[in-house]
Amino acid sequence: MTTATEPNSIDDILRELDRARKNGPLHDILIPPCPHLLTRLQHAMAQAEPDLNEVAHIATSDVAMSAALLRTANSPLYAVGQPAQTIGQAMNRLGLEQTAAVMTGFLAQRAIKVSSKQLMRFWERCTKRALAMSFMAGKLPGVSADLAHTYGLFCHVGMAVMAQSLRGYLSTLVEAHARIDRSFVETENANHRTDHAVVGALVSRVWRLSPTVTAAIRLHHDLEVLDESRSQSEVNTLIAMGLVADYFMHRHEGLEHDVDWKSHSVASMAWLQISGDELLAWEEELREIFEAA
C-alpha cells in the first residue's frame, strides 16, 4: 500500500483499508481496541438527538478526563468571563461536539501509550496540532471544529501504532528523518510495506471515527490532491489545515519548515483562501494558545 496508487474517494479509501486489513500488509499491525468509554461516547453522539446526560456521565466517570475538559474550557482558545468550574459549565462553553472531541483525545492518549525517545512529546504535539486546527476552524467558514480537532489529534497516530507493532520501526523513524533522497513515507514503505498515513487511517477506521477524518489521514502525505482536487473538498480542507497547523507549530518551536510546507504551502493557502497577512495574524493569536497548552 504505497502512495503511488492513491484511491480517489472516501469510499475507495475505506474499501482499500478493509482489503489491506484482511490479506495485505496491515494484517499483522496490532491496532489497540477502541476504549469502552469512547464506544459509549460515539453511541451517545450518533443519536438523532445526542444524549447530553450520557455524555456528561462519561465525562464525570474519570477524574482525569473531567480535569482535561475543564482545562480546555478555561484555555485561551475558549475562555470567556468567569472560569468554568463544573463539567456542565465546561460542556456549555465548549459545545457538545468539541466536548466529545476533547474526550476522544483524552481516551486516545490513554489507549495508545508512547514512551520511546524517537517519539518524545508525541501526544503533546498531537494536542498542539489539534488546538491549532480548532482555532483555524473558528476562522474558516463551514469548517467543523470537531472534525478539525479530531484530524489534528489523529493525523500521525500511525507512527505510535507502528512503533508498538513493527520490529525495527523506531530505527526507521531515525532513517526517515535523515534521508534526503526520498520522502518519509517512502522510507517507511521500503522497510515495512506500509506507512503511518495508512496505519493511522486504519486506526481511525477501526475506532469508527468520521470517514472524512479517515480519508484525510490516509492522504495527508499525498499533497498533490490540493492541486488536482482528486479528493472530496472536506478532506482537502482538513489536509490543507493540517499543513498550516504544522507550519504554526514549527514556527512556535523555532524549527525549520519541513519539505511538505516548502513544496505545498502555496497550494494549501490557496485551497483555504487565506493570505500571508492572515497567516501572520493567526500566528500571533495562536502563540498564547500554544503556550497555555
Side-chain angles (χ1 to χ4, degrees), residues 210-224:
S210 162
T212 300
V213 169
T214 300
I217 294 172
R218 173 68 183 89
L219 297 176
H220 78 271
H221 279 293
D222 184 40
L223 294 165
E224 288 74 16

Side-chain angles (χ1 to χ4, degrees), residues 12-193:
D12 288 340
I13 288 169
L14 299 182
R15 285 191 291 267
E16 177 204 37
L17 291 169
D18 291 342
R19 284 194 301 270
R21 182 64 167 158
K22 287 179 181 176
N23 50 27
L26 299 181
H27 181 71
D28 295 325
I29 300 286
L30 179 62
I31 304 297
C34 184
H36 172 65
L37 286 179
L38 182 53
T39 301
R40 277 180 58 189
L41 177 63
Q42 291 170 335
H43 179 74
M45 294 295 294
Q47 306 305 310
E49 293 187 10
D51 188 337
L52 298 177
N53 288 331
E54 171 68 353
V55 175
H57 287 152
I58 296 167
T60 55
S61 69
D62 186 293
V63 173
M65 185 157 56
S66 296
L69 279 172
L70 287 166
R71 186 165 57 250
T72 302
N74 291 319
S75 71
L77 184 57
Y78 298 102
V80 286
Q82 294 298 314
Q85 297 180 327
T86 67
I87 291 301
Q89 291 172 350
M91 290 176 63
N92 285 335
R93 179 172 293 179
L94 294 172
L96 185 59
E97 288 190 346
Q98 196 62 13
T99 294
V102 172
M103 292 166 67
T104 297
F106 175 87
L107 293 167
Q109 292 182 51
R110 178 171 288 180
I112 303 174
K113 301 292 186 183
V114 178
S115 57
S116 61
K117 64 180 181 181
Q118 291 88 344
L119 288 171
M120 192 176 299
R121 297 175 55 230
F122 176 79
W123 281 117
E124 179 184 334
R125 301 195 83 246
C126 290
T127 301
K128 195 173 183 179
R129 183 183 300 104
L131 284 171
M133 295 284 290
S134 294
F135 168 83
M136 285 189 285
K139 301 290 187 179
L140 297 169
V143 177
S144 163
D146 172 36
L147 290 183
H149 185 281
T150 303
Y151 170 75
L153 189 73
F154 282 89
C155 181
H156 288 161
V157 74
M159 292 182 182
V161 172
M162 291 177 77
Q164 291 180 345
S165 296
L166 297 177
R167 188 174 184 178
Y169 181 71
L170 294 177
S171 297
T172 295
L173 280 178
V174 175
E175 178 187 353
H177 282 296
R179 294 192 75 131
I180 59 173
D181 59 326
R182 63 188 183 194
S183 71
F184 197 101
V185 292
E186 285 172 339
T187 297
E188 289 178 319
N189 274 287
N191 292 355
H192 305 289
R193 296 175 54 236

Side-chain angles (χ1 to χ4, degrees), residues 4 11-12 28 73 106 179 189 201 218 235 246 252 274 278 286:
D11 287 341
D12 288 340
D28 295 325
F106 175 87
R179 294 192 75 131
N189 274 287
R218 173 68 183 89
V235 174
D246 281 349
H252 184 254
I274 58 176
E278 285 176 297
L286 269 170

Side-chain angles (χ1 to χ4, degrees), residues 225-266:
V225 297
L226 299 176
D227 298 308
E228 301 171 13
S229 299
R230 286 192 288 125
S231 182
Q232 298 187 27
S233 62
E234 201 170 22
V235 174
N236 278 18
T237 297
L238 290 179
I239 293 170
M241 289 174 66
L243 198 60
V244 175
D246 281 349
Y247 163 82
F248 288 135
M249 289 169 61
H250 280 84
R251 292 272 294 176
H252 184 254
E253 295 168 7
L255 301 175
E256 183 180 352
H257 301 312
D258 60 23
V259 66
D260 285 344
W261 178 255
K262 292 175 181 177
S263 301
H264 299 283
S265 59
V266 173

